[in-house]
Amino acid sequence: MNFRFILSEISHSRGQGLIFVVCVALSLVSLVAINSFRRDVNQSLVSDARNLHGGDVIVRSHRPLSPVITKALADLEQEPDTEVSRTWEFYSVARNGSGDKTVLANIKAVDSIYPLYGAVELRSGKNFQQVLQPGTAVVGSSLLVRLDVKEGEQVQVGSKSLTIVDVVEGESQRPVEFFDFGPRIFVSSADLAAMDLMKPGSRVHYKALLRLGEPSMVDEIAAKLQHYTDTGQERVVTYANAPSRVKRFFDNLLFFLSLISVFTMLLAGVGMQSSLAALFRHKEKSLAIIRAVGASGRFLFSHYLVIVFVLSLTGCFVGFLGAYILEKNFTLIFAGLLPDNIKLGLSPVDIFEGTLLGFAVVAFFSFFPLRSITSVKPIAVIRHESTTEQSPTTYLFFVCGVVLFTGLIIRQLDDVKIGLYFVGGTFTLVAMITLLVSLVIVGLRRISGGGLALRQALKSMLRPGNAAKTIMVTLSSALTLLLSIGLVQNDLRSTYISSYPEDAPNLFCIDIQKNQKQGFMELAGDDVELFPVIRARLLSMNDEKIVREKEQKKRGDTLTREFNLTYRAGLLSDEVLIEGDALFGTEELAPGIIPVSILDTVAEMGDMVLGDILSFNVQGLPLEAQVVSVRSRTKSMLYPFFYFVFPEKYLGQAPQTFFAALTVAPEDVGQMENKVVEKFPNISTINVAETAKELGRIMEKLSSVITFFSMFSIVAGLLILVSSILATRLARIQEAVFYKILGADSVFVWKVFILENLILALISSGCALVISQVASWALSTYVFNIEHKAYVLFCVFLVAVSCCIVVGTGVASSISIVRRKPGEFLQKRSVE
Amino acid sequence: MSQIIKAENISKHFTIGSQRIQILKNISLTIGKGEFVVVAGSSGSGKSTLLSVLSGLDKPDGGRVELCLRDITPMSEDQLAPVRNTLIGFVFQSFHLIPSLTALENIQFPAELKKDPDATNKAQALLEKVGLSQRANNYPSQMSGGEQQRVAICRALINAPQIVFADEPTGNLDSGNSTAIIELLAKLHEELGMTLVIVTHSRSLAARADRVIVLRDGVIEAGSQL
C-alpha cells in the first residue's frame, strides 16, 4: 500500500472529496439525530413509565366502574401496602367568579392519595396532596390568564365555586401540554357531586390507579382484574403496556421524520456516487498513466478504496458532530413538544449504529464508481474510450445492494410493509422524475431559437460530464417531497382551519342530556341541530374479534376505541351514499340483525364491505348490525360526522346524550357559552374558531419541524450541483475564456451561467411541481378525504425560492471561473 | 501604409514558483494596415506573450499598445470585449473551438454576439470558402485537426476584422494540413486585405510574410524587422 500516493490523491481531490464527505455527513445527520432522539424520548417516557401512567396497574373506563370491579379493587386495597387512587378526567367549561369569562378546561378530580407515583409540581413548591383540599382548585397557569383571575380568587366549575390555591408547574403524567385544548384544573373528588357535571353519557375518563405492595405481582393482578371487567368496557393495563398518547404522537412524528431522513440519505447517496464519478472522470488521464507505467486495476481499486474509506470515516465523524449539534438544538426545533424530563444526547449505540449505516450507504453508492476505475485502460492517455459493458457480477452486486438497502430501510422504519412501500415508492418517484426530466431534455435539445445566451446556456447545461440529469432528478425529488408536504398541509389547513364557512356552526355543545333537550332548544333556538350520541365499542366483525394489540399497531385511528353511534332517518347535508340502495337498505335482514350505515372512512379503516356483520357493545348491551350502506362526506371541515348511523327505532331508547352545533354571531359566542353553562353546568361548549386556531398552531409547529428536516434533502441536490460545477470547471473556464476572446463581455458570460442554472432549477422545480401536484391530490383525496387545491401562489413562491437557491449556489461556485482572464488561462494551458 | 498596431516599450514578466522570469523587455514596434507579419523565434523567446499583449488578451507590466489608434492598455476586460469582437480575429494552435457547438455554430458565434442578423449566411459562406460546408453540423470532436483549424479561421474572419492574430496556427497539424492552412491564410490575406500577425516556426509561412520579427530572450533581434 502506497500511503504517500493515498495522501497525495486525497490532497489533490479536495473539491470532490469535500463534497463526498459532506454527502456522507448529510446522509447521517438527520437520521442519527432522529434515531437518537427516538431513544431519548422512549427513555424519558418508558423508563419512568410508572410516573407517566401513575400506577403499577391501571383500570380505565369511559363509564363508572362496574360494581364487580369496584369490589375487586376494594378487596385489593385491603392487601398490605397496596393503594388504589381514583381519578375522573373530563373537559368542561370553567368561569371566573363574576361569570363573564369562560374557558374550556381539562378537569381532573382526584382523591386525597393522588398521585401514587410521580408528582404534581406546584409553583409554591408545596406538597400537592396537602394543598388540594375540598373546595379548592389547583390550576394551570394559562387558566389564570384566560379567566383573568389570581390565586385566592374563585373559579366556577359546574355548580361549584372553588378557591384557586396554587398553580401547576409540571405533571409527571402529563409531560407534554402541547396537545391539550384546555388548561388543567385539579379538583378534589369530594367536590365532584357538588359540581354536578357528570351525567349519564358524559365524556368522563374514569381511572383507578393501583400501587402494589409486591411489584412482581403486577401482571398477575392485572390478569385477575381483567377477568372481572365488563367485556369491552373497562380496560386493565399495567405501567409496562399502557398506551401513551404522547408516546404514540412521538412514534408517529418520528416515524414520519425517519421517512424523510431515509429519503435524504438516499439523495445524499446519489451525491456520493455523483461526486466520486466526477472525481474519477476528472482523474481518468492520471489513472491511465498509472496503468501505463504498470499498476494493476487491483492497485487502483485498493488504493482508492482506502481513500473512500478515509473520506467516509471523516464524513461519519462530521455527520455525528452535526447530529450532536442538531439534537442539542431539538429543544428549539421541537419547542413545546418535548417532555420535561428528556435528556438529549448521542449515546455510543447511536454512534455505532450510525457508523454501520454510514458505511452501508457508502458501500452501496461507491461501488459502481470504484469499480469503474478498474476498467480504465492505459490507452486513455491518448484517447478516451467509453466502456459501457457491465459484467454479471455488477448486476449481482446491484441486486444484492438493493436487497441489503431495503433491509436497512425496513429495519430503520421498523415496519416491513411500509418499508417495502417506501422503497417501491421512492424507486417509482425517481423513475417518474427521470422519465419526465429525460423528456424535457429531449425537448430542449431540439430548441434552435432564442437568444444567443439562452442557446449557449442550454448547450452548456447539456455538456458531457455535467451531470445535469442527476442534478435535476435529485433536486426534483427533494422539491417533490417539500412541495407535496406543503400542498397537503395547505389542503388540511384550508379544510379544517382557514376556510371554515362563515355560516357553518361555530359553537359545539356536548353532553346535553335527554331531559335538557327541550330547555336547550329554548335557549339556543328551535332551528338548532341536535345529534344523538350513543357511546359503544365494536367487539367483532363477521365473528372475528377486534384484537386490541393488532389495532394498536396501526398508525391512524383504531377500531378498538369507543365510538359515537347515532340514529337518524336520512343523510346529512354534507353526505352522499356511495354504496347501497338506501341509507338503511331495502332488503329484509335476518332476525336480531339491525341495519347500519357506515362512513367510508371507517369502511376503509376496517376493510368493511356491504353485508358485513358488526357486533357492538352498547354500554353493556350487545347489538348485531349488518352494513347496508356506505356514506361519504362531500365537504371536510370541523362539523359533526358519525361512523355508524342506525335507524331511530333501534337506538332511540338507548342511554344517550346530544350534541348540538350552533351558528352564532362571532361576537356573541362568549355570551352564548355563558348562557348555556349557567343554565346547564354539565354541558361543555367548544368554541370552533378557537379550536381551529389551536389546531392551526399545532399544525404550524409540526409543519415547521417537518419542513426543517425536508430541507436536508434539498442540500443533497445542491451538493450534486456544486460537484457538477467542480467536475466541469475546466470546461467552464475554457468556455468563458473563449467567449471573452471572441468578444463577449462579462455580462454575457454571467448571463450564460445564470441562465444555465436557472434552466436547471426551472426544469427541476417544474417536474417537482407536476409530480407533487399529482401526489398531493392523491394523498388529499384518497388518504385524508379532503379537497385538493393547486395553491398557485404557494407553488410559485416555492419555485422562486428554489430557483434563487440553485442560481445562487451555481453563481457562487462560478465566480472564480468567470473572473479568469483569457491571457492568463491560455498561458497556463500552453505551459501544460 | 497607415499603422494599425503600435507597441511602445512593452514589458511582461511571469512568476513561476519563486522565480521571476522576464518574458518581454521594452519592446516597441508598429505594424501597418494590411501588413502580413510573422513573429518568429525559439521556444520561450516570448512570441506568444507578445501576441497576447498586442491583441489585448494579456496586459503588459509596462508600456502601451495601440490598436487602430486606440490605447487598449488601460481598458478593462469588458471594454476590450467589443474590440475583440469586431476589430480582431484570433486563430490558436489548439484551435480552441467551443466543444458544445457545431462547426457552423462556432463560426457564427462572434457574429451573433454582434447581433448580426446575417450571421448564419455569412458562416455558411465562409465554410464553403474553406471547403467544409458538408461539416457544418459536425462538432469539433468529430473533425480532424486540419478541419478544426479551418473552422477556427472562419470564426476569426466572420466579423471581417481589421487584424487577425494567429498563434502557431500550424503547430498542431501534420505537414499536409499545415501547407493547406498556410495557403488558406495567405489567400485570405490577399483577398480580404486584413492585417495578419502570425506567430510561427514555419519557414514556409515566414517566407510568404511581408515582414518577419524575430524575438530572442524577450527582445526583438536587431535587424529582424525586415
Side-chain angles (χ1 to χ4, degrees), chain A residues 239-260:
Chain A
Y239 71 93
N241 64 15
S244 156
R245 195 163 57 118
V246 176
K247 187 170 180 304
R248 198 177 169 89
F249 162 77
F250 275 111
D251 281 348
N252 285 334
L253 177 65
L254 292 175
F255 177 80
F256 190 62
L257 293 182
S258 272
L259 281 179
I260 295 174

PDB file of all heavy atoms in Angstrom, chain A residues 239-260:
ATOM      1  N   TYR A 239     -48.311  -0.550  33.919  1.00  0.00           N
ATOM      2  CA  TYR A 239     -47.456   0.593  33.540  1.00  0.00           C
ATOM      3  C   TYR A 239     -46.578   0.234  32.348  1.00  0.00           C
ATOM      4  O   TYR A 239     -46.174   1.099  31.579  1.00  0.00           O
ATOM      5  CB  TYR A 239     -46.576   1.024  34.735  1.00  0.00           C
ATOM      6  CG  TYR A 239     -45.487   0.041  35.074  1.00  0.00           C
ATOM      7  CD1 TYR A 239     -44.214   0.186  34.531  1.00  0.00           C
ATOM      8  CD2 TYR A 239     -45.731  -1.056  35.905  1.00  0.00           C
ATOM      9  CE1 TYR A 239     -43.215  -0.726  34.811  1.00  0.00           C
ATOM     10  CE2 TYR A 239     -44.746  -1.963  36.177  1.00  0.00           C
ATOM     11  CZ  TYR A 239     -43.483  -1.802  35.641  1.00  0.00           C
ATOM     12  OH  TYR A 239     -42.503  -2.715  35.901  1.00  0.00           O
ATOM     13  N   ALA A 240     -46.316  -1.094  32.184  1.00  0.00           N
ATOM     14  CA  ALA A 240     -45.411  -1.514  31.112  1.00  0.00           C
ATOM     15  C   ALA A 240     -46.096  -1.572  29.756  1.00  0.00           C
ATOM     16  O   ALA A 240     -45.449  -1.371  28.721  1.00  0.00           O
ATOM     17  CB  ALA A 240     -44.806  -2.868  31.446  1.00  0.00           C
ATOM     18  N   ASN A 241     -47.397  -1.861  29.745  1.00  0.00           N
ATOM     19  CA  ASN A 241     -48.045  -1.996  28.434  1.00  0.00           C
ATOM     20  C   ASN A 241     -49.123  -0.944  28.171  1.00  0.00           C
ATOM     21  O   ASN A 241     -49.825  -1.001  27.172  1.00  0.00           O
ATOM     22  CB  ASN A 241     -48.619  -3.414  28.252  1.00  0.00           C
ATOM     23  CG  ASN A 241     -49.734  -3.714  29.243  1.00  0.00           C
ATOM     24  OD1 ASN A 241     -50.276  -2.812  29.868  1.00  0.00           O
ATOM     25  ND2 ASN A 241     -50.077  -4.982  29.406  1.00  0.00           N
ATOM     26  N   ALA A 242     -49.248   0.023  29.071  1.00  0.00           N
ATOM     27  CA  ALA A 242     -50.291   1.037  28.872  1.00  0.00           C
ATOM     28  C   ALA A 242     -49.947   1.923  27.681  1.00  0.00           C
ATOM     29  O   ALA A 242     -48.798   2.322  27.528  1.00  0.00           O
ATOM     30  CB  ALA A 242     -50.414   1.895  30.123  1.00  0.00           C
ATOM     31  N   PRO A 243     -50.943   2.197  26.845  1.00  0.00           N
ATOM     32  CA  PRO A 243     -50.661   3.092  25.721  1.00  0.00           C
ATOM     33  C   PRO A 243     -50.503   4.529  26.220  1.00  0.00           C
ATOM     34  O   PRO A 243     -51.125   4.913  27.210  1.00  0.00           O
ATOM     35  CB  PRO A 243     -51.899   2.966  24.836  1.00  0.00           C
ATOM     36  CG  PRO A 243     -52.983   2.509  25.746  1.00  0.00           C
ATOM     37  CD  PRO A 243     -52.341   1.761  26.867  1.00  0.00           C
ATOM     38  N   SER A 244     -49.637   5.271  25.557  1.00  0.00           N
ATOM     39  CA  SER A 244     -49.457   6.670  25.940  1.00  0.00           C
ATOM     40  C   SER A 244     -49.710   7.531  24.713  1.00  0.00           C
ATOM     41  O   SER A 244     -49.142   7.293  23.654  1.00  0.00           O
ATOM     42  CB  SER A 244     -48.028   6.876  26.457  1.00  0.00           C
ATOM     43  OG  SER A 244     -47.656   8.219  26.306  1.00  0.00           O
ATOM     44  N   ARG A 245     -50.583   8.513  24.890  1.00  0.00           N
ATOM     45  CA  ARG A 245     -50.927   9.395  23.788  1.00  0.00           C
ATOM     46  C   ARG A 245     -49.680  10.152  23.317  1.00  0.00           C
ATOM     47  O   ARG A 245     -49.429  10.321  22.133  1.00  0.00           O
ATOM     48  CB  ARG A 245     -51.988  10.390  24.269  1.00  0.00           C
ATOM     49  CG  ARG A 245     -52.702  11.127  23.185  1.00  0.00           C
ATOM     50  CD  ARG A 245     -53.970  11.736  23.732  1.00  0.00           C
ATOM     51  NE  ARG A 245     -53.691  12.607  24.859  1.00  0.00           N
ATOM     52  CZ  ARG A 245     -53.965  13.916  24.870  1.00  0.00           C
ATOM     53  NH1 ARG A 245     -54.483  14.478  23.800  1.00  0.00           N
ATOM     54  NH2 ARG A 245     -53.729  14.651  25.928  1.00  0.00           N
ATOM     55  N   VAL A 246     -48.862  10.571  24.284  1.00  0.00           N
ATOM     56  CA  VAL A 246     -47.658  11.322  23.961  1.00  0.00           C
ATOM     57  C   VAL A 246     -46.680  10.428  23.185  1.00  0.00           C
ATOM     58  O   VAL A 246     -46.117  10.831  22.169  1.00  0.00           O
ATOM     59  CB  VAL A 246     -46.989  11.847  25.258  1.00  0.00           C
ATOM     60  CG1 VAL A 246     -45.680  12.538  24.942  1.00  0.00           C
ATOM     61  CG2 VAL A 246     -47.927  12.775  25.981  1.00  0.00           C
ATOM     62  N   LYS A 247     -46.548   9.175  23.687  1.00  0.00           N
ATOM     63  CA  LYS A 247     -45.612   8.260  23.032  1.00  0.00           C
ATOM     64  C   LYS A 247     -46.109   7.955  21.609  1.00  0.00           C
ATOM     65  O   LYS A 247     -45.330   7.905  20.663  1.00  0.00           O
ATOM     66  CB  LYS A 247     -45.469   6.975  23.842  1.00  0.00           C
ATOM     67  CG  LYS A 247     -44.388   6.068  23.308  1.00  0.00           C
ATOM     68  CD  LYS A 247     -44.105   4.937  24.246  1.00  0.00           C
ATOM     69  CE  LYS A 247     -43.016   4.048  23.676  1.00  0.00           C
ATOM     70  NZ  LYS A 247     -43.312   3.523  22.351  1.00  0.00           N
ATOM     71  N   ARG A 248     -47.414   7.772  21.501  1.00  0.00           N
ATOM     72  CA  ARG A 248     -47.993   7.474  20.190  1.00  0.00           C
ATOM     73  C   ARG A 248     -47.749   8.641  19.226  1.00  0.00           C
ATOM     74  O   ARG A 248     -47.410   8.449  18.062  1.00  0.00           O
ATOM     75  CB  ARG A 248     -49.498   7.243  20.357  1.00  0.00           C
ATOM     76  CG  ARG A 248     -50.137   6.530  19.194  1.00  0.00           C
ATOM     77  CD  ARG A 248     -51.608   6.302  19.519  1.00  0.00           C
ATOM     78  NE  ARG A 248     -52.333   5.865  18.359  1.00  0.00           N
ATOM     79  CZ  ARG A 248     -52.487   4.615  18.000  1.00  0.00           C
ATOM     80  NH1 ARG A 248     -51.941   3.667  18.705  1.00  0.00           N
ATOM     81  NH2 ARG A 248     -53.186   4.298  16.929  1.00  0.00           N
ATOM     82  N   PHE A 249     -47.899   9.858  19.765  1.00  0.00           N
ATOM     83  CA  PHE A 249     -47.648  11.031  18.938  1.00  0.00           C
ATOM     84  C   PHE A 249     -46.191  11.048  18.467  1.00  0.00           C
ATOM     85  O   PHE A 249     -45.895  11.243  17.287  1.00  0.00           O
ATOM     86  CB  PHE A 249     -47.963  12.314  19.716  1.00  0.00           C
ATOM     87  CG  PHE A 249     -47.339  13.536  19.105  1.00  0.00           C
ATOM     88  CD1 PHE A 249     -47.883  14.118  17.977  1.00  0.00           C
ATOM     89  CD2 PHE A 249     -46.166  14.078  19.627  1.00  0.00           C
ATOM     90  CE1 PHE A 249     -47.289  15.220  17.383  1.00  0.00           C
ATOM     91  CE2 PHE A 249     -45.567  15.182  19.049  1.00  0.00           C
ATOM     92  CZ  PHE A 249     -46.125  15.743  17.929  1.00  0.00           C
ATOM     93  N   PHE A 250     -45.278  10.838  19.416  1.00  0.00           N
ATOM     94  CA  PHE A 250     -43.863  10.872  19.048  1.00  0.00           C
ATOM     95  C   PHE A 250     -43.513   9.723  18.104  1.00  0.00           C
ATOM     96  O   PHE A 250     -42.725   9.893  17.182  1.00  0.00           O
ATOM     97  CB  PHE A 250     -42.970  10.832  20.296  1.00  0.00           C
ATOM     98  CG  PHE A 250     -42.751  12.191  20.873  1.00  0.00           C
ATOM     99  CD1 PHE A 250     -43.308  12.546  22.092  1.00  0.00           C
ATOM    100  CD2 PHE A 250     -42.024  13.143  20.183  1.00  0.00           C
ATOM    101  CE1 PHE A 250     -43.130  13.813  22.614  1.00  0.00           C
ATOM    102  CE2 PHE A 250     -41.834  14.414  20.698  1.00  0.00           C
ATOM    103  CZ  PHE A 250     -42.389  14.755  21.918  1.00  0.00           C
ATOM    104  N   ASP A 251     -44.112   8.547  18.356  1.00  0.00           N
ATOM    105  CA  ASP A 251     -43.861   7.409  17.455  1.00  0.00           C
ATOM    106  C   ASP A 251     -44.236   7.798  16.028  1.00  0.00           C
ATOM    107  O   ASP A 251     -43.489   7.557  15.080  1.00  0.00           O
ATOM    108  CB  ASP A 251     -44.673   6.183  17.884  1.00  0.00           C
ATOM    109  CG  ASP A 251     -44.014   5.471  19.051  1.00  0.00           C
ATOM    110  OD1 ASP A 251     -42.839   5.809  19.342  1.00  0.00           O
ATOM    111  OD2 ASP A 251     -44.655   4.611  19.668  1.00  0.00           O
ATOM    112  N   ASN A 252     -45.415   8.402  15.874  1.00  0.00           N
ATOM    113  CA  ASN A 252     -45.886   8.778  14.543  1.00  0.00           C
ATOM    114  C   ASN A 252     -45.027   9.871  13.924  1.00  0.00           C
ATOM    115  O   ASN A 252     -44.631   9.789  12.772  1.00  0.00           O
ATOM    116  CB  ASN A 252     -47.342   9.239  14.606  1.00  0.00           C
ATOM    117  CG  ASN A 252     -48.293   8.076  14.772  1.00  0.00           C
ATOM    118  OD1 ASN A 252     -47.966   6.953  14.382  1.00  0.00           O
ATOM    119  ND2 ASN A 252     -49.422   8.297  15.377  1.00  0.00           N
ATOM    120  N   LEU A 253     -44.731  10.891  14.730  1.00  0.00           N
ATOM    121  CA  LEU A 253     -43.952  12.020  14.197  1.00  0.00           C
ATOM    122  C   LEU A 253     -42.543  11.556  13.819  1.00  0.00           C
ATOM    123  O   LEU A 253     -42.046  11.852  12.729  1.00  0.00           O
ATOM    124  CB  LEU A 253     -43.869  13.146  15.234  1.00  0.00           C
ATOM    125  CG  LEU A 253     -43.017  14.341  14.822  1.00  0.00           C
ATOM    126  CD1 LEU A 253     -43.615  15.065  13.622  1.00  0.00           C
ATOM    127  CD2 LEU A 253     -42.838  15.337  15.963  1.00  0.00           C
ATOM    128  N   LEU A 254     -41.936  10.773  14.722  1.00  0.00           N
ATOM    129  CA  LEU A 254     -40.561  10.338  14.454  1.00  0.00           C
ATOM    130  C   LEU A 254     -40.516   9.344  13.300  1.00  0.00           C
ATOM    131  O   LEU A 254     -39.550   9.291  12.546  1.00  0.00           O
ATOM    132  CB  LEU A 254     -39.931   9.740  15.714  1.00  0.00           C
ATOM    133  CG  LEU A 254     -39.685  10.771  16.812  1.00  0.00           C
ATOM    134  CD1 LEU A 254     -39.183  10.117  18.086  1.00  0.00           C
ATOM    135  CD2 LEU A 254     -38.674  11.810  16.352  1.00  0.00           C
ATOM    136  N   PHE A 255     -41.578   8.561  13.170  1.00  0.00           N
ATOM    137  CA  PHE A 255     -41.647   7.647  12.030  1.00  0.00           C
ATOM    138  C   PHE A 255     -41.662   8.452  10.727  1.00  0.00           C
ATOM    139  O   PHE A 255     -40.932   8.158   9.783  1.00  0.00           O
ATOM    140  CB  PHE A 255     -42.911   6.792  12.140  1.00  0.00           C
ATOM    141  CG  PHE A 255     -43.115   5.866  10.982  1.00  0.00           C
ATOM    142  CD1 PHE A 255     -42.424   4.674  10.909  1.00  0.00           C
ATOM    143  CD2 PHE A 255     -43.974   6.197   9.946  1.00  0.00           C
ATOM    144  CE1 PHE A 255     -42.594   3.826   9.827  1.00  0.00           C
ATOM    145  CE2 PHE A 255     -44.144   5.358   8.864  1.00  0.00           C
ATOM    146  CZ  PHE A 255     -43.455   4.171   8.812  1.00  0.00           C
ATOM    147  N   PHE A 256     -42.460   9.501  10.722  1.00  0.00           N
ATOM    148  CA  PHE A 256     -42.554  10.347   9.527  1.00  0.00           C
ATOM    149  C   PHE A 256     -41.223  11.048   9.260  1.00  0.00           C
ATOM    150  O   PHE A 256     -40.759  11.105   8.119  1.00  0.00           O
ATOM    151  CB  PHE A 256     -43.684  11.371   9.722  1.00  0.00           C
ATOM    152  CG  PHE A 256     -44.017  12.111   8.463  1.00  0.00           C
ATOM    153  CD1 PHE A 256     -44.493  11.442   7.351  1.00  0.00           C
ATOM    154  CD2 PHE A 256     -43.845  13.478   8.382  1.00  0.00           C
ATOM    155  CE1 PHE A 256     -44.789  12.127   6.181  1.00  0.00           C
ATOM    156  CE2 PHE A 256     -44.131  14.167   7.228  1.00  0.00           C
ATOM    157  CZ  PHE A 256     -44.605  13.486   6.118  1.00  0.00           C
ATOM    158  N   LEU A 257     -40.610  11.546  10.329  1.00  0.00           N
ATOM    159  CA  LEU A 257     -39.315  12.207  10.150  1.00  0.00           C
ATOM    160  C   LEU A 257     -38.257  11.200   9.700  1.00  0.00           C
ATOM    161  O   LEU A 257     -37.351  11.530   8.948  1.00  0.00           O
ATOM    162  CB  LEU A 257     -38.881  12.889  11.456  1.00  0.00           C
ATOM    163  CG  LEU A 257     -39.737  14.073  11.900  1.00  0.00           C
ATOM    164  CD1 LEU A 257     -39.191  14.684  13.177  1.00  0.00           C
ATOM    165  CD2 LEU A 257     -39.825  15.138  10.819  1.00  0.00           C
ATOM    166  N   SER A 258     -38.395   9.952  10.165  1.00  0.00           N
ATOM    167  CA  SER A 258     -37.477   8.893   9.720  1.00  0.00           C
ATOM    168  C   SER A 258     -37.600   8.674   8.221  1.00  0.00           C
ATOM    169  O   SER A 258     -36.605   8.498   7.519  1.00  0.00           O
ATOM    170  CB  SER A 258     -37.809   7.560  10.410  1.00  0.00           C
ATOM    171  OG  SER A 258     -37.136   7.481  11.609  1.00  0.00           O
ATOM    172  N   LEU A 259     -38.848   8.685   7.741  1.00  0.00           N
ATOM    173  CA  LEU A 259     -39.080   8.516   6.300  1.00  0.00           C
ATOM    174  C   LEU A 259     -38.352   9.611   5.529  1.00  0.00           C
ATOM    175  O   LEU A 259     -37.657   9.345   4.547  1.00  0.00           O
ATOM    176  CB  LEU A 259     -40.572   8.611   5.984  1.00  0.00           C
ATOM    177  CG  LEU A 259     -41.448   7.404   6.257  1.00  0.00           C
ATOM    178  CD1 LEU A 259     -42.888   7.722   5.910  1.00  0.00           C
ATOM    179  CD2 LEU A 259     -40.998   6.209   5.437  1.00  0.00           C
ATOM    180  N   ILE A 260     -38.489  10.851   6.016  1.00  0.00           N
ATOM    181  CA  ILE A 260     -37.848  11.981   5.340  1.00  0.00           C
ATOM    182  C   ILE A 260     -36.330  11.831   5.412  1.00  0.00           C
ATOM    183  O   ILE A 260     -35.617  12.068   4.439  1.00  0.00           O
ATOM    184  CB  ILE A 260     -38.299  13.315   5.974  1.00  0.00           C
ATOM    185  CG1 ILE A 260     -39.792  13.508   5.737  1.00  0.00           C
ATOM    186  CG2 ILE A 260     -37.515  14.487   5.418  1.00  0.00           C
ATOM    187  CD1 ILE A 260     -40.378  14.713   6.432  1.00  0.00           C
TER     188      ILE A 260
END
